[in-house]
Amino acid sequence: MLQVVDAAGLAERSMIMLPRLDVEAAAGAGAVVASEQVSEMVAFSAAWLRERHITPRSARILTARGDSMEPTIRDGDLLVVDTAIEMAVDAGIYILAYDGVLLVKRLFIKINGDLIISSDNKLVGRDEEVPADRRHDLQILGRVMWFGRTI
């Protein structure tokens, strides 16, 4: 028997596989990236990604290591990162590369163009300022759009 399929409804229920990279972003002193191997694929609802303005083809899943972003992000949390976002536009949490070191930090933009790299956990991290003329030393690899953890 033939059945009529609602294409719009089917698209709403579709799943998109995001690559989970064998990469840890340091919520602390920093981690050196040895490789970007895909360790597994994780399914997310296409509608859910769209609602959160995450670009599916640019989304990657990383693991957070360290405690400098607590209580927001904890050691071992999974991070969905939109790598299409390569510049800071607000006080979001971003994945940064500096001299081969990968970090997950909150960024603030000052009126004069300077960046403030901030840890949410003020007990273990201190803010660092990157002058506007040195921003080229810092590479923004993506914005953290979601995180999840086991309890």
Side-chain angles (χ1 to χ4, degrees):
M1 171 184 250
L2 293 175
Q3 192 174 11
V4 176
V5 176
D6 175 19
L10 188 60
E12 285 299 313
R13 293 188 306 271
S14 68
M15 300 298 283
I16 294 178
M17 302 300 287
L18 300 184
R20 181 175 179 190
L21 302 181
D22 191 18
V23 171
E24 295 181 344
V32 177
V33 178
S35 73
E36 291 187 10
Q37 292 291 332
V38 174
S39 63
E40 65 182 327
M41 300 297 284
V42 181
F44 282 83
S45 158
W48 185 89
L49 291 169
R50 225 179 0 267
E51 288 168 7
R52 284 152 187 80
H53 307 289
I54 298 171
T55 309
R57 70 181 172 281
S58 302
R60 305 290 182 269
I61 300 172
L62 309 178
T63 303
R65 283 290 166 236
D67 61 356
S68 73
M69 288 303 291
E70 286 189 8
T72 310
I73 295 174
R74 297 181 187 157
D75 185 55
D77 282 356
L78 294 181
L79 312 173
V80 173
V81 178
D82 191 335
T83 63
I85 300 171
E86 297 177 329
M87 60 185 299
V89 293
D90 57 16
I93 299 173
Y94 296 86
I95 301 297
L96 314 171
Y98 179 74
D99 201 25
V101 175
L102 199 66
L103 301 167
V104 55
K105 297 291 178 186
R106 189 175 301 277
L107 293 181
F108 297 95
I109 306 167
K110 294 175 67 174
I111 291 174
N112 66 1
D114 293 354
L115 283 179
I116 304 295
I117 301 172
S118 184
S119 298
D120 285 2
N121 185 348
K122 299 304 180 192
L123 298 175
V124 297
R126 61 181 176 82
D127 292 353
E128 300 214 17
E129 190 165 333
V130 178
D133 63 345
R134 299 292 314 254
R135 283 177 64 169
H136 62 273
D137 293 336
L138 183 72
Q139 185 180 5
I140 297 173
L141 301 176
R143 182 174 180 182
V144 177
M145 304 297 285
W146 176 87
F147 65 88
R149 67 177 57 112
T150 58
I151 49 173

